[in-house]
Amino acid sequence: MPSVTYIEADGKEHKVDVAPGLSLMEGAVNNLVPGIDADCGGACACATCHIYIEPDWHGKTGTRNEMEQSMLDFAEGIKDNSRLACQIKVTDELDGIVVRLPVAQF
Amino acid sequence: MSVAHDQNTSLPSAYDLPLEDIDVSIAQLFQTQQHFEYFERLRKEDPVHYCKDSEFGAYWSVTKFNDIVEVDSNHKIYSSDKTIVIGDADPDFNPPMFIAMDQPKHDVQRKAVTPAVAPVNLAKLESHIRENVCEILDGLPVGETFDWVDRVSIELTTRMLAILFDFPWEDRRKLTWWSDVTTSNPAQVGADASIVNEEERKKELMECLEYFMNLWTSRGENYEGTDFVSLLATNPDTMEMSNDPLEFLGNLMLLIVGGNDTTRNSISGGVLALNQNPAEYNKLRANPDLIPNMVSEIIRWVTPLGHMRRTALEDTELGGKKIKKGDRVVMWYISGNRDDEIIDRANEFLIDRDKARHHLSFGFGIHRCMGNRVGEMQLRILWEEIMKRFEKVEVIGEPERLCSNFVMGITEMMVKLHPLKA
């Protein structure tokens, strides 16, 4: 199973296995990684699963879709590598991916 | 208008009406709490329901959780332009506000004021809010019967709002009044017209505008503040807003209501829910760490704003129904929050509920409540401090409820405080 590392804002790492087909949001929530609220449950409608993709993985995670862009526009601390975790499906190609969490979801 | 449904005339049971005659826009239904039964029937028998005739005109009711998320997150088809409540806006007096705008203008104005309620700013405000909560609670008369709505729910939310506007402290109840005036429009939400008539309403709101214009001017361009007025006055995208007084007023009304009715009624509604569910109150006493989760459950349970309305920009389909361009589409959050296909035991108030944050009360999509974290923080701090002081906030008698299909309001709720046993 692909391995995903979530790093909290304070540096604490959570390395977990996530089945292909699940989203990076589901991977965090299912493994009780703190810092991902995911209020809307994965509908790309709340921006509470904001993550930063580490540079090495930026090219493999695709680009923001239009709705995702709209939602991220209102999140806090947006950077070029900001994404919504519910919009990225885990695949074998993403095995080893590292993502960082913001200080707070908003 | 509202005369047709006099408060003293009891409304029929939802199950005694032909399905096509069900009209959930009648404000008295919410005052008598019969709306839950009406929505239960619609969710079961006609989840996307067309009402061909109501005092607000024809409208669609969207009553199930997932259909509501679909409408709310599809802002290109379901427009917020000009109004977001069931009744149409008065064409002669409709101050523009960003909640009732589509992209791109909505985005620009919303972004200008968001920093006031973003997590970084809130962290700075937390101790200030706690001081106010403690002061309010310590000033309450223990053992006497008093109105919780006035002494706590209104007082705390109004203080919070005064902080967020950096508003003159001694005048803060003006904010409460302007909020009530804004939401009491009979033609838009079925409110009782006796609170304030249309002429008075305009006059009061113009006074609100004048008051804020003075604040705006006094803040000037070099003022460095993170309050709403300073943010609007200094952001390059909105600094011209004072040249369009109606638009300035509209956005003030939005921010005032957004920070007022919502948290106020969650504060009152939480006390009531715990009184009606003593086992949950016991859980809370046994484990105050449940407070953050309970806060989300209270906000779901109360659903302070019962609906949001959209207008279809094109012909479309929802839940198998054909919606036509121009149709009113009302998302009943108060109903979706009781949809037991999505929320387990949706008709029970459970403070330790799993996935408590998964509720509709803040809306979803680009218009999602921007003050959600402020609201949650106020409730969390309030309950932390209540539990340090009182064994029970006991509700005495029946609370008085507001007549409105929009604000799920409690206008008066008498309580008696029981201090912690030493």
Side-chain angles (χ1 to χ4, degrees), chain A residues 29 37-48 66-67 70-71 73-76 103-106, chain B residues 69 73 75-76 103 106-107 110-111 114 117-120 357-359 363-366 368 370 372-373:
Chain A
V29 171
D37 292 338
D39 290 1
C40 79
C44 195
C46 71
T48 62
E66 204 183 338
M67 184 63 189
S70 287
M71 293 312 302
D73 274 344
F74 303 118
E76 190 170 74
V103 178
Q105 297 289 348
F106 178 54
Chain B
V69 175
S73 51
H75 54 268
K76 296 222 158 125
Q103 289 176 321
H106 157 269
D107 296 12
R110 176 174 169 138
K111 268 185 217 169
T114 300
V117 288
V120 171
R357 301 192 61 86
H358 192 47
H359 63 70
F364 284 121
I366 62 169
R368 181 173 164 81
M370 64 173 236
N372 58 7
R373 303 289 170 179

Side-chain angles (χ1 to χ4, degrees), chain B residues 15-86:
Chain B
Y15 292 94
D16 289 342
L17 290 166
L19 190 60
E20 66 267 24
D21 288 350
I22 288 199
D23 173 10
V24 285
S25 73
I26 300 166
Q28 285 78 11
L29 282 176
F30 299 83
Q31 198 169 29
T32 59
Q33 300 281 284
Q34 282 170 282
H35 62 291
F36 286 117
E37 185 194 65
Y38 278 62
F39 285 120
E40 177 193 66
R41 181 158 182 218
L42 288 185
R43 284 195 304 275
K44 271 193 282 193
E45 297 178 30
D46 195 24
V48 179
H49 172 75
Y50 190 66
C51 174
K52 60 184 183 304
D53 187 27
S54 82
E55 67 181 280
F56 309 100
Y59 67 96
W60 291 95
S61 284
V62 186
T63 63
K64 299 206 71 166
F65 194 105
N66 284 348
D67 288 338
I68 291 170
V69 175
E70 183 178 335
V71 172
D72 226 352
S73 51
N74 210 334
H75 54 268
K76 296 222 158 125
I77 292 179
Y78 300 102
S79 168
S80 295
D81 190 32
K82 299 205 176 46
T83 184
I84 46 88
V85 291
I86 186 166

Side-chain angles (χ1 to χ4, degrees), chain A residues 53-71:
Chain A
I53 308 289
E54 283 288 271
D56 294 351
W57 297 91
H58 209 178
K60 291 184 180 167
T61 48
T63 51
R64 302 170 191 166
N65 63 42
E66 204 183 338
M67 184 63 189
E68 184 182 356
Q69 180 64 51
S70 287
M71 293 312 302

